[in-house]
Amino acid sequence: MGTDPAALVPQRVADDVVIDVVDRSGHPIDELNNDATPPVQRKVALARGQLVALPLPEGAGPAAQSFFPSAERLYEELDALWVDETGRAGVLGRLARYRHFRAAPPAGYVSGETPEVLGVDYFPYGAWDSRAEPTIATLVTITNTVQEITAEEGVAGVQWLEGSPVIEETLYWLALLVDTDKPIVGQVAQRLHRSVGSDGAQNLVDGARYIASRAWDLDGRGDAVGPVLVADGVVRTARGAYKVAGRPGGYAGGGPVATCATQWPIRLEYLPLRRHTRTSAVRISALPREVPALDGAGGTRLVQVTDGSGRLAPEVLPVVTIVVYGRYGLGGTCGCADLGVADAVSHHVERHGLAGFVLEGIAPNGWASREVESSLSVAAYSGFPVVWCGRGRPEDPVGRAPAPFVAGSNLSATKARMLLLACLLRFGAAPVAKDPRQPTDAERHATDEYVRSLQEIFDTH
């Protein structure tokens, strides 16, 4: 009875067992160099619970979930079945000890007495039938979890595992909010775990090596780099790293600030100039306990941002909408060129006390059509700050944006959105003009002062 060799997957040995293997069959050269001595069978002991690559039962399909609900199994498989460049196993275990946390896992425990719920407890991503997007509430949970972990005694650093297309946003957010002097390393895989040419295992090892190297601590004062993405042997800053292709080597920007070649020790080559983690002006410890938010009736109310113990309040749910400019839109005399923005403003007025907009305009200066810019000006004087960014992955900064807008430096729209979310937690809603289409001089001045505070953050983070 034959089995499909493609069905070899790591499985646990049920009981202690001794099996026979052909001696010197681990490498063809061993067989060739010892052809004078016929190969013999050798006894190998397998312990109960040991992971071994074995065939699945005939006819068995793939696992019900494509992602692991927790990373323990991933690390265990890597140490049990992979070897380093010297041929030794257990490479992760030789670098550090690990504890695993599930802040926003991609898979859940869907059986048992309390099965986890899709979109509440776990968030699969990618081209799967069952997928769910995390919300701002999930981001609050992530932030509080990472902040608490980094504050624990004995923790040398954090490895943050997330899908390669979206990790850049989360890492940049952690760089802005988490108050720590310890490294936070983003870890990705551009190819599926266990597949041909999978890169995730090496990325995990390189990330652990980066933390263990302490190259990030130049003067004994802690992390001088801030959160980084470690992939393909390259260390990139969280702010500057962008995914540009779905293959190993598919990241650009953000350095490299270091490389992880195994032949020599890791050392920093460049240092980022932007503020991060312990120096960030929007880190958790620098946020106020309450900020003003719009009340939906033309006034403001105070909303809680932090709980007084170094955690974000769970009810803090700011919203930032990205407006993408594309040429050849519905302009002219039809009067509908800005309906999307106007509708979003009305929605935010009714539903969201803390909200804002990011305009992804032309590169690099962020311009859009006059209709869209005019509509966003109304949004800015309605209490919703607006940030201008160039489209795509800008290299040149926006420069200066006209009043009442904030220049988004060289951030992409998605990363500018994360920074504006943080600014809303720091400063609250923008001032509101009685008539946002015709603000008075005093109202313009109040908005300018608010924008100046945000601009300082965008210029330095």
Side-chain angles (χ1 to χ4, degrees), residues 136-144 148 173 177 284 287-291 302-318 354 425:
I136 291 293
T138 309
L139 187 61
V140 170
T141 299
I142 290 170
T143 310
N144 290 335
E148 290 171 1
W173 175 264
L177 269 291
I284 291 180
L287 297 178
R289 184 154 188 166
E290 296 177 324
V291 296
L302 291 178
V303 296
Q304 187 176 3
V305 172
T306 61
D307 63 3
S309 63
R311 295 170 55 89
L312 291 181
E315 62 270 19
V316 176
L317 302 174
L354 291 176
L425 299 181

Side-chain angles (χ1 to χ4, degrees), residues 19 65 86 135 143 163 232 239 279 286 296 305 362 366 450:
I19 64 172
Q65 298 191 53
T86 68
T135 66
T143 310
D232 312 310
R239 185 187 188 277
T279 65
V305 172
I362 64 174
Y450 177 89

Side-chain angles (χ1 to χ4, degrees), residues 46-120:
L46 300 178
R48 179 180 180 180
Q50 182 176 341
L51 284 177
V52 180
L54 296 168
L56 287 171
E58 189 171 3
Q65 298 191 53
S66 58
F67 302 107
F68 291 152
S70 185
E72 284 99 333
R73 177 60 178 261
L74 178 64
Y75 281 58
E76 184 184 6
E77 284 190 14
L78 197 159
D79 263 0
L81 304 175
W82 272 262
V83 297
D84 63 13
E85 68 280 358
T86 68
R88 299 170 65 198
V91 58
L92 281 173
R94 287 186 275 114
L95 285 168
R97 292 182 310 228
Y98 305 88
R99 293 171 58 202
H100 300 275
F101 299 83
R102 303 176 67 238
Y109 298 104
V110 296
S111 59
E113 294 182 2
T114 56
E116 294 184 327
V117 179
L118 174 71
V120 177

Side-chain angles (χ1 to χ4, degrees), residues 5 50 75 77 101 121-122 146 239 249 254 256 293 320 337 350 358 371-374 378 391 401 423 436 447:
Q50 182 176 341
Y75 281 58
E77 284 190 14
F101 299 83
D121 303 301
Y122 66 101
V146 176
R239 185 187 188 277
V320 171
E350 295 174 3
V358 170
E371 292 89 350
V372 169
E373 291 176 11
S374 176
V378 173
R391 72 172 78 191
C423 286
T447 298

Side-chain angles (χ1 to χ4, degrees), residues 226-251:
V228 294
L229 177 75
V230 176
D232 312 310
V234 176
V235 182
R236 304 179 185 277
T237 63
R239 185 187 188 277
Y242 292 92
K243 180 173 179 176
V244 295
R247 52 174 168 73
Y251 280 94

